[in-house]
Amino acid sequence: MATPRIVQIRQDRIDKLDQLAELGFPAYPSTAHRTHYTDALLEDFDAMEGQVVTVAGRMMAYRSQGNLTFADLQDQQGKVQLFVRKKSVGEPDPATGNLGFENLRLLDLGDIIEATGTVMRTKRGEISVDVTSVRLLTKTLRPLPDKWAGLKDRERILRQRYLHHTMEPEKRATFDRLGKLYFAVRQYLYERGFIEVHTPILQSLYGGGTARPFLTHLNALHQDMYLSISHELYLKRMIAAGFDKVFTIGRYFRNEGIDSTHHPEFSMIETMTAYENYEYNMDLVEGMFRFVSEKAYGRTTFDVRGVEVDFAKPWARVNMADAVLERFGHDFRSCPDVETANGWLKAQGVPAQGSIGEALFRLFDDLIGPTLLQPTFVYGHPIEISPLAKPLADDPRYVERFELVIGGIECGDNWSEQNDPRKLLETWRKAHARSDVPADERHPLDYSFVEMLEHGMPPTTGIGPGIERMAMIFEGTESIDDVIYFPMMRPEPPGINAVIFGEEAGRTGGATPATADGEAAPAGLSLTDLAALVQVGALSPAQDGLVLLPRLTLWGSKPSGSVVIRGLRADGPVVVSGVAVAGDDLAAWTASLSAETQKLVGLLEKGLRGVTVSVRPLTRG
């Protein structure tokens, strides 16, 4: 049986490792001697010309011309050419690590190296380093993706961002800006007298919102614990202690759905301010977005879902009940009963709710909120969905609360905190007793928090804009995965690694996740890995008949192709990513994916003899 190409490439590089070891050169030294990043050479050449520098990074190109070699070295800041002449490079010296000229043959694209030399400009005008010493810092055993093809499949990009950003370093700019966003948020709050605090992620009793929590177990205390769905109850305890302005940028965990705007693990800025109410926070949030846009992005105008949004302009403020009355003609303030409210919902195709207040919120949230593209504060929420908020003095059916909506996406939730312990306990008990809400979605009764309120907490208000939601607005993306470096993904089987490391090809290395209907969630496999596993006979189908379901995913303006295979594994389907899709429109993409799927059919039928393969209609996802 033929050896997969990746296995041979890896072995060739291991052979080079052995040769380096025989010559006395370490392949993985513990430190480098870098003096400059590449941008310093390129942006200030007049000052740097003639200086001796040491640069370090990944070798991205290599061109040999007899006694002259050119290489491109890429670091965090950019890329510079290495000009390596046989007469200029010193003799091989294991003591200093200098490979010398002849041993450059033991390097491969992707290796991480260090080069020392003089900054100069070649006859062709390219700024370069005239190299006198080349030192290996890290020998790579796997090749980089193809220079021209790169990583185009969305799933592979999300799983292997380190490769994507190596091949397309300009894509790192998004996460550079996210770092500046975090810094700007902190600067904004520090300048307004806030102090940053840390609150528990592991909590014995979750609270501060209504969401399904993640459950874990603390062995030391023999006690079940929850991952935080919110941090506000702890921040309020600090307000009671006498800290008037506190905030945390924390991690939040909600065991709920995954879609373009929701992720089970996310970040949020959460503040608490004493002696203020929710109207103060409208100004605080509006100022924060304006400050961050200027500091992290250098501008206040952004394209949000095709609409120009200028954060420097005053933001709209919309009452929820007024908006529903204006849009649909239904006055929820005078609604006589929940049956009438649900009749209004039914007329708009919205599911029935358990109370008038929930009906109002659901109608607004489903049909009006997504249409608010300009920054808008939505206020006047029903008390039924706001157990921790303070009721309005003139109409206690509603609370002092607002949500921020930008581009049709809810970007933060804020209110005046309920600090009357008896009223809060009454609201909690009513919410906790409801039979129409799953037990793990009800707000738990936290008596220690009520005890704290009985000791007294001043009038308080807090904000909670999501970091990722904020980043999505500024980055102009509609997918939260684009602003999370390591998004949540299903585990994938070892694939070709099973051949390389001698593991079982079908094993995932962990528990197999399940979908909502109880079926095992699809594990991932690249098309390259699948072909290699078929080639070496490492796959044993769970059944004689395989079913292929081609799937076309539109990622912005780029299509991505994949194929779900049922019957290849006993514990569930496998999704094969990286299926080529070509063309300029939907019809061409569909035809291209169908053709590639037929090639996959041929691969499987030829490699897995005796197995029949059928294809289901193409779907879009």
Side-chain angles (χ1 to χ4, degrees):
M1 190 68 68
T3 302
R5 181 171 178 269
I6 180 61
V7 175
Q8 185 59 56
I9 291 174
R10 182 174 180 272
Q11 186 57 54
D12 290 344
R13 295 190 176 203
I14 291 175
D15 292 343
K16 291 179 180 179
L17 265 179
D18 294 340
Q19 294 179 57
L20 286 165
E22 291 176 4
L23 294 170
F25 289 98
Y28 303 97
S30 63
T31 188
H33 307 121
R34 175 165 55 191
T35 61
H36 293 79
Y37 281 97
T38 56
D39 62 335
L41 284 56
L42 302 175
E43 296 174 7
D44 195 14
F45 174 75
D46 290 341
M48 296 299 302
E49 184 177 16
Q51 289 195 31
V52 175
V53 299
T54 298
V55 292
R58 196 179 292 272
M59 189 170 71
M60 299 300 294
Y62 183 90
R63 307 172 297 282
S64 182
Q65 300 176 4
N67 292 331
L68 179 63
T69 293
F70 297 92
D72 289 344
L73 182 143
Q74 177 177 292
D75 63 15
Q76 176 179 303
Q77 301 302 111
K79 185 185 296 183
V80 71
Q81 177 175 268
L82 303 182
F83 185 68
V84 190
R85 294 180 289 182
K86 182 176 181 179
K87 66 179 182 179
S88 301
V89 178
E91 292 297 317
D93 185 359
T96 63
N98 181 25
L99 292 172
F101 192 82
E102 296 299 329
N103 291 330
L104 295 181
R105 61 184 173 80
L106 299 177
L107 297 179
D108 291 288
L109 293 184
D111 285 353
I112 299 172
I113 63 174
E114 173 186 283
T116 300
T118 304
V119 179
M120 49 88 76
R121 193 187 294 272
T122 65
K123 293 180 180 179
R124 293 187 177 182
E126 184 167 355
I127 297 173
S128 305
V129 176
D130 189 2
V131 176
T132 57
S133 172
V134 178
R135 180 168 168 253
L136 178 63
L137 299 179
T138 300
K139 184 65 182 169
T140 58
L141 302 186
R142 305 280 179 117
L144 294 172
D146 180 78
K147 179 179 179 180
W148 304 112
L151 269 77
K152 302 301 182 185
D153 180 76
R154 179 164 175 76
E155 181 172 340
R156 302 316 304 173
I157 286 174
L158 296 181
R159 289 188 186 278
Q160 296 181 300
R161 269 212 168 100
Y162 59 93
L163 286 180
H164 184 222
H165 286 171
T166 295
M167 302 307 296
E168 299 184 54
E170 68 277 4
K171 302 293 186 182
R172 292 199 302 256
T174 292
F175 296 92
D176 289 339
R177 290 189 293 266
L178 289 185
K180 295 177 181 177
L181 186 155
Y182 275 95
F183 184 82
V185 167
R186 286 186 164 94
Q187 183 181 358
Y188 177 80
L189 293 173
Y190 289 154
E191 290 178 0
R192 281 149 187 81
F194 286 83
I195 62 169
E196 184 172 9
V197 299
H198 293 286
T199 49
I201 287 178
L202 287 176
Q203 302 176 357
S204 58
L205 193 64
Y206 68 94
T210 52
R212 182 178 285 114
F214 284 93
L215 179 66
T216 186
H217 186 79
L218 182 59
N219 291 334
L221 298 180
H222 306 289
Q223 178 181 342
D224 285 343
M225 303 287 285
Y226 300 95
L227 298 184
S228 59
I229 66 168
S230 172
H231 295 271
E232 72 169 73
L233 299 187
Y234 292 93
L235 293 175
K236 289 175 183 176
R237 287 175 168 92
M238 298 197 72
I239 292 293
F243 296 92
D244 285 352
K245 290 184 175 183
V246 294
F247 79 96
T248 186
I249 298 180
R251 299 298 283 171
Y252 296 73
F253 306 86
R254 298 183 180 180
N255 198 0
E256 298 174 340
I258 300 177
D259 57 33
S260 62
T261 61
H262 294 86
H263 195 264
E265 178 183 358
F266 60 99
S267 299
M268 197 157 68
I269 310 150
E270 203 162 3
T271 74
M272 284 295 157
T273 307
Y275 306 103
E276 299 286 359
N277 75 351
Y278 76 121
E279 292 172 312
Y280 163 87
N281 275 333
M282 290 187 184
D283 295 333
L284 185 71
V285 172
E286 186 172 346
M288 177 186 293
F289 271 77
R290 187 173 300 124
F291 184 89
V292 169
S293 67
E294 293 172 343
K295 289 290 184 178
Y297 291 85
R299 55 194 170 94
T300 61
T301 302
F302 295 82
D303 183 286
V304 180
R305 299 179 67 181
V307 176
E308 183 179 282
V309 172
D310 188 351
F311 289 107
K313 294 180 178 179
W315 293 9
R317 303 189 179 193
V318 174
N319 179 277
M320 186 178 293
D322 289 343
V324 169
L325 177 60
E326 180 180 348
R327 173 80 175 272
F328 300 108
H330 303 314
D331 187 358
F332 274 82
R333 292 191 182 92
S334 60
C335 183
D337 49 53
V338 68
E339 289 75 19
T340 300
N342 281 329
W344 294 343
L345 265 59
K346 184 178 180 181
Q348 302 299 330
V350 177
Q353 301 296 305
S355 67
I356 295 174
E358 288 169 304
L360 167 63
F361 176 76
R362 184 63 185 268
L363 185 59
F364 180 93
D365 199 49
D366 282 9
L367 301 181
I368 298 180
T371 68
L372 302 176
L373 301 182
Q374 294 293 333
T376 304
F377 290 119
V378 179
Y379 65 96
H381 290 64
I383 194 171
E384 292 94 333
I385 63 166
S386 313
L388 295 175
K390 183 168 289 189
L392 292 169
D394 57 352
D395 191 345
R397 296 175 300 172
Y398 304 93
V399 298
E400 295 188 6
R401 174 183 175 183
F402 72 85
E403 289 180 314
L404 169 62
V405 181
I406 305 174
I409 299 174
E410 190 260 302
C411 297
D413 199 6
N414 321 263
W415 53 69
S416 300
E417 310 297 337
Q418 175 58 275
N419 62 339
D420 183 328
R422 294 176 301 171
K423 289 184 178 179
L424 178 63
L425 184 57
E426 179 184 359
T427 302
W428 267 357
R429 281 175 170 162
K430 286 181 180 179
H432 199 264
R434 290 184 51 178
S435 60
D436 60 329
V437 177
D440 59 355
E441 292 185 15
R442 303 172 198 165
H443 199 294
L445 298 173
D446 188 341
Y447 294 119
S448 67
F449 180 77
V450 178
E451 177 188 359
M452 180 276 292
L453 289 183
E454 291 192 347
H455 284 286
M457 184 183 79
T460 300
T461 185
I463 67 172
I467 290 282
E468 287 83 6
R469 297 280 181 89
M470 182 185 291
M472 287 173 64
I473 297 298
F474 290 134
E475 291 295 329
T477 179
E478 295 188 31
S479 175
I480 198 169
D481 286 346
D482 291 339
V483 294
I484 297 177
Y485 206 92
F486 303 103
M488 193 74 65
M489 302 188 74
R490 298 182 180 98
E492 59 180 346
I496 192 62
N497 288 333
V499 176
I500 292 174
F501 300 124
E503 299 291 334
E504 181 185 348
R507 188 172 59 81
T508 63
T512 302
T515 58
D517 59 8
E519 182 183 39
L525 195 67
S526 72
L527 182 59
T528 302
D529 276 6
L530 178 66
L533 291 171
V534 169
Q535 183 182 11
V536 299
L539 290 178
S540 299
Q543 59 191 53
D544 293 337
L546 302 183
V547 179
L548 273 56
L549 296 88
R551 184 174 61 192
L552 181 68
T553 302
L554 298 184
W555 179 20
S557 61
K558 300 178 182 178
S560 177
S562 60
V563 177
V564 176
I565 305 179
R566 299 188 187 279
L568 191 59
R569 286 163 41 118
D571 58 355
V574 171
V575 58
V576 179
S577 62
V579 181
V581 178
D584 299 321
D585 56 26
L586 182 59
W589 297 332
T590 301
S592 174
L593 179 56
S594 297
E596 292 299 316
T597 303
Q598 288 304 318
K599 293 180 182 178
L600 184 56
V601 171
L603 170 71
L604 293 170
E605 289 182 337
K606 181 179 179 180
L608 306 176
R609 299 187 183 280
V611 172
T612 60
V613 183
S614 60
V615 180
R616 295 277 178 84
L618 183 147
T619 61
R620 291 174 57 189

